Structure formats: C-alpha cells, structure tokens
Amino acid sequence: MGQSDIWTEKYRPTKFEEVVGQQEIVKRVKSLVQAMNIPHFLFSGPAGIGKSTLALIIVKELFGEAWRENYLELNASDERGIDVVRQKVKDFARTKALENVPFKVIFLDEADALTREAQQALRRTMENYTNTCRFILSCNYSSAIIDPIQSRCVVFRFKLLEKKDISEVVKRIADKENLKLSPDSFDTIYEASEGDCRRAINLLQATSSVALDINAEMINMIAASNKPAGIRIVLDYALSGDFVSARDKLLDVMLRESVAGTDIIKEIQKEIWNMQIEPEVKVRLTEKTGEIEFRMTEGSDEFVQLQSLLASFVLAGLGKAT
C-alpha cells in the first residue's frame, strides 16, 4: 500500500450508514443484503466515489468475521486475460461458502479492462455457478461490458460526490487527526478533487504533512504539484499563432515533468474553458480535444497527436476553421 493510500484505507467506511453521496443506491443494496440473497451487481461510475467500498461493506455484512474466506477480489486491469477467468475465478466460484450464506462473492474491479474473450468466459462462469457464487463488477464505463453480462446484473450507476459529501468526509478526518481547516479550504479541496473522494483524502493527507493548520493557499500549492505546469503558456503561444514556441514548450513540459499525454490532454480540456475566446471556438476545440484523446487511447503517438491539437489551436487563433 502506498504512503498516500494510508488515510484512504484508515477512514474507509465499514457500514452502509457511513457511505456518503450514494444514499439511494445504498438503500437498495442494503435491503437486498438483509434478505441474504443478493443478485449479481454491476457498479458503474468514475473513480473514488465508493464502488469498491460498498462491495467490501456488502461482503462484511454477509459473512461477518469470515468474510476473507468467502471473498475474492481481482483487479481486471492487472489480470485481464481469459486465463484469469478460467483459473482463479472458476476455481473460487465452484466451491461452496463456509458460512450460512449459500454463496461466495467475487469482486472484479475495473471490469471494463477485461478483454471480450474474458468477458465471454466470465458470462459462462456466471451462468454455471449461480448457486455457489455472486459477482460484483466495478467499472468506469458500463458500455465496455458486454450485454450478456449486463443483463445478468443489477446495474447501479454511481455519481460524482457533491461538495457537501466531500466536506463531510474531510471534516470527519480533520476532527480525528486534529487538523484545523480554514472555511475556504473545503471549497478548495472539493474543486481540486472534482468529486473524487479518494483524491480529496490524499490531498488532505499530503497537505497535513506540511502543517496542521490548513488553508486554501496550501491546498492549491499541493494540488498544483500534481498537475502539469505550463499548459496555459503552451495554449497561449498556439492561439497567438506561434506554433513552434507552443510545440517546444509542450515538449519541455512532457520531458521535464515526465507527464503522460493523457494527463496533458485533460489539462488542456480544462484550460479551454478558462480562455478568453469565443464560445463557438471553445466548443470546436473541445470537440477536437476529444478526438485527439480517443486517438491516443487507441495507441497513436502522444506527441504527434498533441502537435496536431496545437495546430488546431493555431488555426483557431487565426480565425480559421478547425
């Protein structure tokens, strides 16, 4: 476990009542757990909003102290091939539970990373071992899960946490860790976390290592260190028509800070809406950013694609169509 994950695990909710921001989902899941006969679940939504936590609570509520013997957790992004489903999942699924509950539980995190062949094998495993095993699948995008699996699951779509939810978690941790937060700190943490509770907790932990009296300026300083610096300068060069300077600055950012192209593209997307350009131009550039991001995730060269995006900014700055 990384140093930045210590508070995340230390303050992970252990009861349904402690989960914030997903009350409707928690209410429905809790009623199913109390009936001691849960279906397969598919939890879909962004990272850091409680999917893995809720899966763990379900298992602990079902099995109590014996939850470890009746629970298998796999991260599909690490083990995404068909052999994992055929071996680890099937071997665990075919054995009976050790407690009064008639089934075991398998939690597949980041299930959208499973190959289609592995998903087909998983579908067959879900069919064959329904009496002895229940599956909880967690993913960022449910569209990446094949329809036969989705139809076998109760699908819950998690939402990003609101400011009041993040503030509740931050205040709870601050009280236990004897931290003093200025009133504007809660706003700053929420804006920096973008609704991701895990990111908010890690940011609070990192800031507390500097001082126990925390203000918005300190949080911004820590948050800025996690973001690629100089992106606004790159875009300003491009919009002014200076493609060469924009490209050189971009290369400097990527090499000096060892920033991945996918992180840069996300920062560019955010910066577009802070720039003093026409709304119509912002829309066109956002569309172009999405296209470039798709190409990069499909395996295209990051620097080549980012240069293509900068060329679109140059054309936009010159008043030409992108």
Side-chain angles (χ1 to χ4, degrees):
M1 185 186 301
Q3 184 69 23
S4 62
D5 293 325
I6 291 177
W7 280 14
T8 305
E9 291 301 316
K10 182 178 179 181
Y11 294 108
R12 182 192 289 269
T14 57
K15 300 178 181 178
F16 287 117
E17 294 74 18
E18 297 175 358
V19 179
V20 299
Q22 314 293 346
Q23 280 77 13
E24 188 60 34
I25 293 176
V26 169
K27 180 180 177 181
R28 294 168 63 187
V29 168
K30 183 178 180 180
S31 64
L32 290 168
V33 170
Q34 289 175 338
M36 302 295 284
N37 189 22
I38 65 171
H40 301 305
F41 288 130
L42 175 58
F43 294 163
S44 172
I49 56 174
K51 302 190 299 294
S52 300
T53 295
L54 186 56
L56 201 55
I57 292 174
I58 290 171
V59 174
K60 290 181 178 179
E61 287 286 332
L62 286 171
F63 301 106
E65 294 295 326
W67 69 271
R68 288 182 178 84
E69 292 78 21
N70 297 284
Y71 177 62
L72 174 65
E73 180 176 348
L74 295 173
N75 191 306
S77 63
D78 296 331
E79 304 171 279
R80 61 195 305 266
I82 192 170
D83 289 340
V84 174
V85 177
R86 285 177 172 169
Q87 296 174 13
K88 288 186 178 180
V89 173
K90 187 176 289 186
D91 288 346
F92 186 82
R94 58 163 50 114
T95 58
K96 291 186 177 181
L98 300 177
E99 292 297 305
N100 296 327
V101 182
F103 53 81
K104 290 184 174 182
V105 174
I106 296 178
F107 176 56
L108 277 176
D109 198 8
E110 300 185 39
D112 43 355
L114 285 171
T115 62
R116 294 192 70 83
E117 292 80 8
Q119 290 192 42
Q120 292 291 353
L122 176 62
R123 181 202 68 177
R124 291 190 291 273
T125 302
M126 294 172 73
E127 288 175 352
N128 295 335
Y129 299 102
T130 300
N131 293 331
T132 59
C133 190
R134 296 291 187 274
F135 287 85
I136 302 177
L137 310 182
S138 171
C139 65
N140 295 127
Y141 306 102
S142 60
S143 58
I145 306 297
I146 61 174
D147 289 339
I149 289 181
Q150 290 196 47
S151 66
R152 287 170 170 80
C153 298
V154 175
V155 181
F156 290 110
R157 305 189 190 282
F158 287 60
K159 61 182 180 180
L160 284 170
L161 300 182
E162 298 178 4
K163 178 183 171 182
K164 61 181 178 62
D165 303 318
I166 296 291
S167 297
E168 179 182 337
V169 173
V170 169
K171 188 176 186 307
R172 184 192 308 163
I173 296 175
D175 290 341
K176 292 182 179 179
E177 295 292 334
N178 297 318
L179 304 178
K180 294 181 180 179
L181 276 69
S182 63
D184 56 353
S185 297
F186 294 95
D187 293 336
T188 307
I189 289 177
Y190 174 70
E191 291 171 4
S193 69
E194 299 177 337
D196 183 333
C197 191
R198 186 187 301 117
R199 186 183 301 171
I201 294 173
N202 288 338
L203 182 57
L204 180 64
Q205 181 181 356
T207 310
S208 69
S209 65
V210 178
L212 298 180
D213 290 343
I214 298 173
N215 55 45
E217 184 179 351
M218 294 170 58
I219 295 168
N220 280 323
M221 178 185 69
I222 298 296
S225 66
N226 296 324
K227 296 181 179 180
I231 296 300
R232 182 58 182 267
I233 299 174
V234 172
L235 300 185
D236 286 340
Y237 275 135
L239 285 173
S240 68
D242 190 348
F243 176 78
V244 174
S245 295
R247 184 195 61 190
D248 291 345
K249 180 64 178 177
L250 174 64
L251 182 60
D252 179 59
V253 169
M254 293 184 72
L255 295 179
R256 175 168 45 83
E257 301 186 30
S258 299
V259 181
T262 50
D263 292 330
I264 288 179
I265 204 79
K266 290 176 182 177
E267 197 63 25
I268 288 176
Q269 195 274 335
K270 294 175 186 175
E271 285 293 342
I272 288 174
W273 295 95
N274 295 326
M275 305 186 79
Q276 300 300 316
I277 53 179
E278 294 296 321
E280 182 182 346
V281 177
K282 291 182 179 180
V283 171
R284 292 206 306 270
L285 291 176
T286 299
E287 181 183 24
K288 186 67 174 179
T289 302
E291 178 185 333
I292 297 299
E293 193 269 345
F294 174 76
R295 292 179 184 176
M296 288 166 59
T297 57
E298 291 295 303
S300 298
D301 183 272
E302 292 183 342
F303 190 60
V304 171
Q305 293 302 319
L306 288 170
Q307 286 186 91
S308 173
L309 181 59
L310 291 183
S312 298
F313 275 80
V314 172
L315 292 174
L318 297 174
K320 299 180 180 180
T322 58

